[in-house]
Amino acid sequence: MTYQGEQQYEIFAENKRTELGMMRNHDWQTDPRRFAFTFARYKFISKMFQNYDQVLEVGCGDAFATRLIQQTTKQVTVIDFDPTFIADIQRRQNPTWPLTAIQHNILDQPLDKQFDGIFSLDVLEHIDPTEEHKFLTNICKSLKPTGTTIIGMPSVESQTYASQLSKEGHINCKTGDDLRDLMYQHFNSVFMFSMNDETLHTGFMPMSHYLLAVCCHKKA
């Protein structure tokens, strides 16, 4: 492309175009505002994990927003049980932003290495309540003793207003108190945050659309 506008913008024409991931492409086609919500959650993770060496994302989906975590950390590994997502991530690999993507079901077993930080967004609500402790136990086994885990999920109160697509597979949404109580069974320190759209706060959790639990000092 021959650029004919202002010189300082020529770099925009030279940059290689980025292909959206499968999930973010659907958002862009159907509900572009979800970009703001999703990226706000990942930005929060990126701030919490600033300068961490090794970070793991559990249930990464298309991992499109994961680049925000890569921007503040040394190395990011992503896992998902769905081979279609992992194949999509590997096909879109950018050598400037190297990402280790592995097909793995955390319910089967922990990873064979431990990480400084582990996060999982929009996954726990899909886990059968009978398996949620296995999910968290295997996360803890993949976490260094000094590591931090962040779990994010929509609140049970939000489901009245959620779209049909958003609600599909949601079999384990929780109140803020229930999520805190669950995390305290696996960690000694739990700090609760809430989100409404892209706004992060520590306000009244029953009025929150999204919940974030920052957990430290694992028990297992």
Side-chain angles (χ1 to χ4, degrees), residues 138-155:
N138 286 342
I139 283 179
C140 286
K141 289 180 178 178
S142 305
L143 184 70
K144 292 180 180 179
T146 56
T148 303
T149 291
I150 303 178
I151 301 294
M153 67 185 305
S155 67

Side-chain angles (χ1 to χ4, degrees), residues 55-153:
V55 170
L56 172 69
E57 179 176 10
V58 176
C60 61
D62 66 15
F64 188 79
T66 306
R67 187 170 293 184
L68 276 71
I69 317 303
Q70 293 179 271
Q71 192 173 8
T72 62
T73 61
K74 182 177 179 180
Q75 174 63 41
V76 178
T77 299
V78 299
I79 62 171
D80 201 287
F81 80 96
D82 190 329
T84 304
F85 283 131
I86 299 301
D88 177 57
I89 295 167
Q90 293 173 341
R91 182 182 60 80
R92 292 184 288 103
Q93 279 279 14
N94 184 327
T96 306
W97 299 90
L99 187 65
T100 303
I102 303 170
Q103 182 187 349
H104 179 87
N105 189 343
I106 198 68
L107 288 175
D108 291 338
Q109 59 186 4
L111 274 291
D112 58 3
K113 63 178 290 186
Q114 291 189 322
F115 295 83
D116 302 291
I118 299 178
F119 72 100
S120 184
L121 303 180
D122 300 293
V123 177
L124 180 57
E125 69 270 21
H126 295 273
I127 304 296
D128 190 285
T130 62
E131 295 193 297
E132 63 186 18
H133 287 291
K134 182 191 299 184
F135 174 76
L136 292 169
T137 295
N138 286 342
I139 283 179
C140 286
K141 289 180 178 178
S142 305
L143 184 70
K144 292 180 180 179
T146 56
T148 303
T149 291
I150 303 178
I151 301 294
M153 67 185 305

Side-chain angles (χ1 to χ4, degrees), residues 20-27 62 84-85 88 91-92:
L20 295 175
M22 295 168 57
M23 298 176 74
R24 300 291 77 83
N25 178 69
H26 181 269
D27 290 345
D62 66 15
T84 304
F85 283 131
D88 177 57
R91 182 182 60 80
R92 292 184 288 103

Side-chain angles (χ1 to χ4, degrees), residues 41 121-130 132 151-180 182-183 192 205-206 208-212:
R41 296 165 191 170
L121 303 180
D122 300 293
V123 177
L124 180 57
E125 69 270 21
H126 295 273
I127 304 296
D128 190 285
T130 62
E132 63 186 18
I151 301 294
M153 67 185 305
S155 67
V156 68
E157 293 91 348
S158 73
Q159 296 305 284
T160 300
Y161 311 101
S163 67
Q164 187 57 43
L165 179 61
S166 296
K167 290 190 288 188
E168 287 184 6
H170 287 190
I171 58 175
N172 195 18
C173 289
K174 298 182 182 297
T175 66
D177 288 341
D178 287 342
L179 178 59
R180 179 196 287 116
L182 172 63
M183 302 314 292
M192 294 297 300
M205 284 190 293
S208 300
H209 175 80
Y210 200 79
L211 305 169
L212 289 155

